Amino acid sequence: MAVAKKAGRYCEGLQLSSLASSILCWKWQRRPAVVVPWTAICGLMLFAVGLISLFTGHVASDLEWYSQRLVKRTWYYKLDKGNHAPVDIWRSKFSNFYFACSERGPHFAPAVRERLSNGYLLIATSGGLNQQRTGITDAVVVARILNATLVVPELDHHSYWKDESDFSDIFDVDSFISYIAKDVPIVKRVPENFMRSMEKPPYTMRVPRKSEPEYYLEQVLPILLRRRVVQLTKFDYRLSSDLDEDLQKLRCRVNYHALRFTKTLRSLGQRLVMRMRKMAKRFIAIHLRFEPDMLAFSGCYYGGGDKERYELGEMRKRWETLPELSADEERSRGKCPLTPHEVGLLLRALGFENNTHIYVASGEIYGGEETLAPLRELFPNFYTKEMLAGEELKPFMPFSSRMAAIDYIVCDESDVFVTNNNGNMAKILAGRRYAGHKRTIRPNAKRLSALFTARDKMDWSTFARKVKSCQRGFMGEPEEMRPGRGEFHEYPSACICQKRSKYSVVNKDKGYRNLDRFLNVSEPEYESDEDQSENRLPKHKNGSTGNRTVSITMAETDHDDFLAD
């Protein structure tokens, strides 16, 4: 009624100048009043609210899937004229297109003689085996930058594990010296007559993290020239990841060729690999990194109640400067390792079957067998070095670095390597892409955390589909490796070349460039012998994810000895 009156007043004051205007006003005035009951209005509002809630809940659940579909597909999904391009979970289909190329460039001068160098460089590494390995690799490059004679690095005997092993107990020192001598003069120790002639003891200093070559030339070289012997302490990640190509290739020659484990360690490691191969044609190696030290340092909480809080809290008191952060926020940021159960769920969702053989590289698992039980249930063919080696392992058991070396060998030889945190062993072994892009799966913990929290609210096929979506870009495909991304030890891009093919070529400045027709395709499938839509996994009584908290990156603190591996 009010609308009709308003229209009448409007028409009275309007000078009608056309037939159309007259007809319009006549219709407004003749329009019957419409009265809508308040009950109907309220009902419609409630119905709309319900629809909005249902829709937003669905979108939130599928947010990852929708967002991934909007992202431009990488070239290795764009094959076969738009048909599905199944992802082989065991091996990248593009691994044959790449090869290691760390040879010396034509302008890379040979090593100078020891007596013509600028002095002797002593290196004291820090942390566990793999953290020390990065320090050794970078020490050679720093010696090259300084035109110094490198003394075989000294291993860390004072970190959390208190391992007394020397360089020659873990690495083939003669092979190391022989290989490195082509690039850098190297000796086992500073000559005694030279040490006796020194007026002062060796100058000791620590350089900042990720220092550029210019820092060494400006700050370290003058001291080396003056004192002739300089020791760099706590040497881990003290060199920038971004160097010129010749120095990057030197890094690769050290890490992948010069650093060989002792014959004793290699022999035992290869025997374990052969035993795994005897049981199965291919196997997965998982670095769980779920030891008490890792959990205590990171501050993660996994649902163990007051007992867990007390035990890890007491261990955490060793570091007074560690901050207190929100467990929920850190979990949502993907800063905590997955539980063994979550690792198992991830692998099953990707398509690995129940009968897959897995090798678990780990020290003492927090919670012991109770924590491992869900993973064993998902993958009964579960093995560790202790299970495979038996009495052969006893001579190595008092030495954590030697035990870690055995795990390293088996993981390096595995068909698929699965990391569970972005620690030192994970980074170094991810660099096996140097040997042809062998599968390295890194959990996308940030995006998986919401899925693990809500997995009881969705069926298995939905969960598996979303896991596969989350893991795009974390499956060890060549496209994941781009120059300048992350740690060089994890992405040795300067040392990997691409064979000529119909697919793409490498442009050193711009990364990968497509050559052929690649069309967008729908969500990639994952090859497996079992139908995931029909797969139903047993729920373990202790399978909850719990709450998690903070982890401190190596770049933020010098307390990383504890996280080293």
Side-chain angles (χ1 to χ4, degrees):
M1 183 69 69
V3 175
K5 288 181 179 180
K6 187 175 182 181
R9 289 194 299 268
Y10 172 78
C11 289
E12 288 175 2
L14 182 68
Q15 295 181 353
L16 301 179
S17 58
S18 66
L19 179 62
S21 299
S22 301
I23 294 173
L24 178 62
C25 285
W26 178 80
K27 284 187 176 181
W28 276 353
Q29 291 172 348
R30 298 270 303 180
R31 187 174 181 177
V34 179
V35 180
V36 181
W38 279 106
T39 55
I41 294 174
C42 292
L44 286 171
M45 291 175 65
L46 290 173
F47 179 72
V49 169
L51 282 177
I52 292 171
S53 299
L54 179 64
F55 177 74
T56 54
H58 174 73
V59 170
S61 175
D62 274 355
L63 184 59
E64 178 63 31
W65 183 77
Y66 284 122
S67 64
Q68 290 288 346
R69 291 181 67 85
L70 295 176
V71 176
K72 183 180 179 181
R73 307 290 182 184
T74 47
W75 65 265
Y76 47 82
Y77 291 132
K78 301 174 182 177
L79 302 176
D80 302 329
K81 296 184 178 180
N83 295 328
H84 280 283
V87 174
D88 186 341
I89 56 178
W90 284 102
R91 183 175 181 271
S92 171
K93 295 180 179 180
F94 301 92
S95 61
N96 290 336
F97 300 144
Y98 300 87
F99 64 96
C101 55
S102 61
E103 297 81 7
R104 297 166 188 81
H107 304 294
F108 197 69
V112 299
R113 295 183 179 181
E114 177 186 345
R115 62 184 179 83
L116 298 178
S117 70
N118 289 329
Y120 292 91
L121 182 65
L122 302 172
I123 295 291
T125 60
S126 177
L129 173 66
N130 294 286
Q131 188 171 344
Q132 293 183 92
R133 188 183 184 109
T134 64
I136 295 167
T137 299
D138 289 349
V140 175
V141 181
V142 169
R144 175 79 188 197
I145 292 170
L146 296 173
N147 195 23
T149 296
L150 178 67
V151 179
V152 171
E154 174 186 322
L155 299 191
D156 186 356
H157 297 161
H158 305 290
S159 62
Y160 172 76
W161 297 274
K162 301 294 187 292
D163 190 327
E164 295 296 325
S165 299
D166 291 322
F167 190 100
S168 59
D169 295 319
I170 298 174
F171 300 106
D172 186 335
V173 65
D174 293 327
S175 174
F176 179 74
I177 291 175
S178 174
Y179 198 98
I180 294 305
K182 301 171 186 176
D183 298 299
V184 171
I186 182 169
V187 294
K188 289 185 178 180
R189 61 187 62 85
V190 179
E192 292 185 11
N193 59 342
F194 188 90
M195 291 292 288
R196 286 196 298 268
S197 67
M198 292 177 59
E199 297 179 358
K200 297 180 181 180
Y203 187 87
T204 299
M205 63 184 297
R206 184 190 301 181
V207 299
R209 289 292 179 92
K210 307 292 186 183
S211 294
E212 299 289 339
E214 290 75 17
Y215 180 90
Y216 287 94
L217 293 174
E218 294 170 3
Q219 303 296 326
V220 181
L221 181 58
I223 300 173
L224 179 65
L225 291 171
R226 186 170 66 251
R227 299 291 292 271
R228 299 295 294 166
V229 181
V230 169
Q231 182 182 47
L232 302 181
T233 62
K234 205 172 177 61
F235 197 81
D236 57 335
Y237 295 98
R238 303 288 164 176
L239 181 62
S240 170
S241 285
D242 186 17
L243 303 176
D244 69 59
E245 187 171 296
D246 281 331
L247 292 179
Q248 298 288 48
K249 288 181 181 293
L250 175 56
R251 258 179 171 157
C252 291
R253 293 198 294 276
V254 177
N255 191 34
Y256 301 110
H257 300 282
L259 275 177
R260 302 174 64 208
F261 292 118
T262 63
K263 184 177 180 180
T264 305
L265 289 171
R266 292 200 313 271
S267 177
L268 178 56
Q270 289 299 328
R271 287 200 298 273
L272 301 192
V273 172
M274 290 174 62
R275 288 165 193 172
M276 290 296 296
R277 297 267 182 229
K278 192 173 182 180
M279 292 183 287
K281 182 176 65 174
R282 52 194 183 183
F283 69 94
I284 300 173
I286 306 172
H287 187 221
L288 278 182
R289 201 62 177 102
F290 206 72
E291 295 92 343
D293 65 296
M294 177 66 185
L295 302 189
F297 188 85
S298 66
C300 297
Y301 175 68
Y302 290 92
D306 292 339
K307 180 176 182 291
E308 177 185 325
R309 290 190 180 94
Y310 175 77
E311 291 174 346
L312 299 184
E314 287 298 302
M315 188 178 294
R316 188 176 170 81
K317 288 179 182 178
R318 302 177 187 183
W319 300 274
E320 297 178 357
T321 58
L322 294 182
E324 294 294 332
L325 298 177
S326 166
D328 292 336
E329 287 181 6
E330 293 304 301
R331 173 174 170 77
S332 65
R333 292 173 58 202
K335 294 297 183 180
C336 293
L338 305 183
T339 66
H341 188 201
E342 290 169 338
V343 172
L345 289 173
L346 166 66
L347 294 177
R348 290 297 300 275
L350 290 176
F352 293 101
E353 298 184 38
N354 177 260
N355 62 356
T356 300
H357 285 64
I358 65 172
Y359 175 89
V360 175
S362 181
E364 174 194 0
I365 296 296
Y366 183 72
E369 286 301 316
E370 184 178 358
T371 302
L372 286 174
L375 179 59
R376 287 182 182 272
E377 188 175 356
L378 294 171
F379 294 97
N381 295 312
F382 176 108
Y383 298 93
T384 63
K385 57 184 175 295
E386 289 81 5
M387 296 169 65
L388 293 172
E391 294 294 318
E392 298 169 277
L393 201 61
K394 279 191 175 181
F396 306 98
M397 294 182 72
F399 307 99
S400 62
S401 290
R402 299 181 213 186
M403 295 283 278
I406 294 168
D407 274 338
Y408 182 101
I409 293 168
V410 181
C411 290
D412 193 38
E413 292 291 333
S414 66
D415 299 275
V416 174
F417 174 63
V418 181
T419 73
N420 192 24
N421 80 317
N422 200 30
N424 299 294
M425 184 168 177
K427 290 173 182 175
I428 293 289
L429 277 168
R432 9 184 255 168
R433 63 187 78 228
Y434 175 84
H437 286 278
K438 296 168 72 175
R439 272 268 181 254
T440 297
I441 298 175
R442 298 173 297 127
N444 186 355
K446 181 177 180 179
R447 292 177 177 174
L448 288 172
S449 61
L451 279 181
F452 286 127
T453 300
R455 66 182 174 80
D456 292 332
K457 301 176 183 178
M458 64 185 80
D459 60 37
W460 175 252
S461 61
T462 301
F463 175 77
R465 172 174 57 82
K466 292 185 177 183
V467 166
K468 293 169 186 174
S469 179
C470 288
Q471 281 300 117
R472 289 187 208 146
F474 291 79
M475 296 292 291
E477 291 285 355
E479 184 80 349
E480 296 172 22
M481 185 201 69
R482 295 176 182 176
R485 174 179 174 179
E487 299 291 345
F488 176 80
H489 306 88
E490 185 176 3
Y491 296 96
S493 54
C495 307
I496 300 176
C497 295
Q498 189 175 13
K499 298 176 183 177
R500 291 183 176 275
S501 72
K502 66 179 181 179
Y503 297 109
S504 63
V505 295
V506 174
N507 183 308
K508 288 293 183 183
D509 298 322
K510 298 181 180 179
Y512 295 93
R513 178 166 57 86
N514 297 340
L515 284 183
D516 263 359
R517 64 199 185 287
F518 293 125
L519 304 176
N520 287 330
V521 297
S522 56
E523 184 179 13
E525 298 173 351
Y526 284 66
E527 290 185 348
S528 173
D529 296 330
E530 107 183 336
D531 182 0
Q532 292 297 321
S533 64
E534 297 179 359
N535 187 13
R536 295 292 182 269
L537 293 182
K539 293 181 181 179
H540 196 272
K541 62 181 179 180
N542 295 323
S544 62
T545 57
N547 298 320
R548 310 175 187 184
T549 55
V550 60
S551 65
I552 308 299
T553 64
M554 288 186 297
E556 295 170 343
T557 176
D558 267 349
H559 293 296
D560 51 283
D561 288 343
F562 202 60
L563 277 176
D565 46 44

